[in-house]
Amino acid sequence: MNFLKNLFLLFCLILLTSCSKDVAKESIINEKSLDLQMIEAYNEGMSALKGGDVLFAAKKFNEAEILYPQSIWAPRSALMAAYSYYIQDYHGDAVAELERFIKIYSNHENLDYAYFLLATSYYEQIVDEKKDLQSLSKAKENFLIVINSYPNTDYAIDASFKLDLINDILASKEMYIGRYYLDKKKWISAINRFRTVVDQYDTTIYIEEALHRLVETYYLLGLSSEAEKYAKLLGYNFQSSQWYEKSYALFDKNYVQKQKKTKELNQQKASDSLVEKIKSLFE
């Protein structure tokens, strides 16, 4: 009886061992099959991308990522899906893919490229700076991440250039609104807009006019000390500017006439000099 029990146990043990080998073998086969499916999907995506079918390409790249999420090709597939949308100007889809990539693959080696492409996708959605404020702010936010987190990359160089353009647009908007308030004699609102340009966009082309408008506004309010403060700041940094001349003219009512007489005198001297040169040719 004991012999039969031992024989039965031995049979079960052999059976279990055989089954476990079959399971392991099946698992390896499935894993290899999954790997091959992922590679096939990725290659189909690349072929579709080269052929111009970006929507199908993005679909295949997403499929490759889902098939084998543990693979090093999964994040690459996610980036390629985003790029596929981007090159065909599907910026909304590109943004969604890139934001997902940044969240899931937060330590990936190509994170700098992901942030740059995300910022560029927002940037290229800017059509009207008066309406597309979210695109402006999001583009600026992500370009700053590229510049501050990856300063030694080519992406940072291009990001700095685009950020300057964004700041010019934002400063232009502030100046437009500030001038409107100034015309409507809403002094405080106008000052706030011009101050924003001076404080936040001092490297833009609008800084000189913003300083002059502050001089002008404070002068109209009778706040001479504040007007003089900004006039001195304007003169110290931009003394040759037309805006400095306009500010100076506010404090010296005869300044315009003096400048006009000086200009006429210089023109007369230049004319007399030319006449003398012509005469000398015939002497």
Side-chain angles (χ1 to χ4, degrees):
M1 190 69 175
N2 289 332
F3 172 76
L4 290 174
K5 286 183 178 179
N6 291 334
L7 184 62
F8 178 73
L9 288 173
L10 179 61
F11 174 76
C12 290
L13 182 61
I14 293 171
L15 183 62
L16 287 171
T17 303
S18 176
C19 289
S20 65
K21 287 181 179 179
D22 289 340
V23 170
K25 185 178 180 181
E26 184 180 350
S27 176
I28 292 170
I29 291 172
N30 286 339
E31 186 174 331
K32 287 183 179 179
S33 177
L34 199 62
D35 187 45
L36 289 173
Q37 288 179 57
M38 182 272 295
I39 294 172
E40 184 180 347
Y42 187 89
N43 288 335
E44 286 181 23
M46 289 299 295
S47 297
L49 183 61
K50 291 176 182 177
D53 190 352
V54 296
L55 294 178
F56 183 74
K59 177 183 175 183
K60 297 309 292 186
F61 288 131
N62 286 144
E63 183 181 321
E65 180 189 8
I66 293 169
L67 279 169
Y68 204 165
Q70 299 84 5
S71 168
I72 60 171
W73 290 96
R76 296 180 190 179
S77 298
L79 268 183
M80 288 304 299
Y83 177 74
S84 299
Y85 286 126
Y86 167 76
I87 61 170
Q88 199 62 32
D89 297 332
Y90 290 102
H91 293 118
D93 295 301
V95 164
E97 287 288 340
L98 289 163
E99 288 181 341
R100 185 179 66 83
F101 176 90
I102 290 168
K103 183 177 180 180
I104 296 175
Y105 306 107
S106 57
N107 296 315
H108 195 264
E109 60 183 355
N110 295 128
L111 204 60
D112 54 349
Y113 174 71
Y115 274 115
F116 177 76
L117 191 59
L118 177 61
T120 305
S121 295
Y122 277 119
Y123 180 80
E124 293 185 2
Q125 291 183 70
I126 301 168
V127 178
D128 185 343
E129 64 271 17
K130 297 181 182 69
K131 298 178 181 178
D132 302 329
L133 296 180
Q134 183 180 14
S135 295
L136 274 167
S137 61
K138 283 291 186 179
K140 181 176 182 178
E141 175 188 330
N142 286 287
F143 278 135
L144 282 172
I145 291 174
V146 175
I147 293 167
N148 295 328
S149 300
Y150 312 100
N152 300 319
T153 63
D154 290 338
Y155 303 129
I157 296 172
D158 195 68
S160 296
F161 173 73
K162 286 188 170 68
L163 187 61
D164 287 341
L165 296 177
I166 289 173
N167 284 335
D168 277 342
I169 292 172
L170 292 171
S172 171
K173 182 177 73 72
E174 294 295 331
M175 290 302 300
Y176 176 82
I177 298 172
R179 292 189 209 102
Y180 171 80
Y181 284 139
L182 186 60
D183 289 341
K184 297 298 181 181
K185 295 182 172 55
K186 295 183 178 181
W187 314 117
I188 302 303
S189 297
I191 287 171
N192 288 337
R193 295 293 179 169
F194 299 138
R195 281 288 303 273
T196 297
V197 176
V198 172
D199 295 339
Q200 297 181 24
Y201 307 112
D202 59 333
T203 59
T204 68
I205 59 175
Y206 296 98
I207 180 62
E208 298 171 34
E209 184 186 353
L211 286 168
H212 166 69
R213 297 299 180 186
L214 285 170
V215 174
E216 181 182 18
T217 308
Y218 280 121
Y219 184 84
L220 290 170
L221 287 172
L223 300 172
S224 299
S225 59
E226 286 295 312
E228 288 176 9
K229 180 180 76 172
Y230 285 105
K232 288 178 181 177
L233 185 60
L234 179 58
Y236 180 79
N237 292 284
F238 310 102
Q239 192 166 6
S240 60
S241 167
Q242 61 167 323
W243 297 109
Y244 175 69
E245 291 186 0
K246 290 184 178 183
S247 291
Y248 193 90
L250 289 172
F251 297 97
D252 185 351
K253 298 302 181 183
N254 297 319
Y255 178 75
V256 176
Q257 290 299 322
K258 290 177 183 177
Q259 288 294 97
K260 185 177 180 181
K261 287 180 180 179
T262 301
K263 185 177 180 180
E264 290 173 351
L265 183 61
N266 289 336
Q267 288 176 342
Q268 186 61 47
K269 286 181 179 179
S271 178
D272 292 344
S273 176
L274 180 61
V275 170
E276 290 299 322
K277 286 181 180 180
I278 294 173
K279 282 183 179 180
S280 67
L281 293 176
F282 298 96
E283 291 179 352

